[in-house]
Amino acid sequence: PLVESGGGSVQAGGSLRLSCAFSLNADRRYCMAWFRQAPGEDRERVASIGNYDALRHADSVKGRFTISKDNAKNTLFLQMNSLKTEDTAMYYCAAAVAPEGGACWPLSVGEFTYWGRGTQVTVSS
């Protein structure tokens, strides 16, 4: 299972740090990612971290958000700085079995088979 925490309400320009505690098969390699979904919008990948590709961030958050992972603590993080009102959404942690020798970023939303329940982030002006 994946369990997110750290969401909340902040003013524009503020920061939040999301955490995702995960419990996955230690014998497999996984791509892990943060997605977000605003009401009436499609689910959007924000950032991913995997085995063969470096950290990747969506253009909309590049330079403001940073994904990281602490393998010893089985925790995925998303540091969000300089938050904007358009960052308001439910944020989800997700994992997919990593493709052998392949990159994680090209994986589609449907290929992520493990999902948390989400944590709400609300940014006000």
Side-chain angles (χ1 to χ4, degrees):
L2 307 176
V3 181
E4 304 95 337
S5 61
S9 297
V10 295
Q11 288 193 320
S15 297
L16 283 174
R17 190 191 196 201
L18 305 185
S19 298
C20 171
F22 59 85
S23 177
L24 299 167
N25 187 334
D27 294 330
R28 308 294 297 272
R29 294 180 181 269
Y30 294 90
C31 297
M32 299 200 71
W34 287 98
F35 289 80
R36 67 185 180 186
Q37 189 168 22
E41 303 283 339
D42 292 334
R43 193 163 292 193
E44 172 193 19
R45 180 172 12 214
V46 173
S48 73
I49 184 169
N51 299 307
Y52 296 102
D53 52 349
L55 310 181
R56 291 287 300 271
H57 299 83
D59 288 344
S60 59
V61 306
K62 202 169 290 184
R64 300 187 298 120
F65 292 10
T66 304
I67 189 172
S68 62
K69 184 158 63 85
D70 185 332
N71 289 320
K73 295 183 178 180
N74 286 352
T75 305
L76 183 72
F77 300 101
L78 184 68
Q79 178 66 45
M80 306 187 295
N81 299 327
S82 302
L83 282 160
K84 304 177 180 180
T85 55
E86 52 262 45
D87 295 320
T88 295
M90 185 71 79
Y91 283 72
Y92 298 91
C93 170
V97 175
E100 193 62 39
C104 293
W105 192 255
L107 293 178
S108 66
V109 174
E111 292 178 282
F112 283 83
T113 53
Y114 304 96
W115 291 87
R117 292 190 173 187
T119 185
Q120 177 68 37
V121 171
T122 303
V123 185
S124 59
S125 59

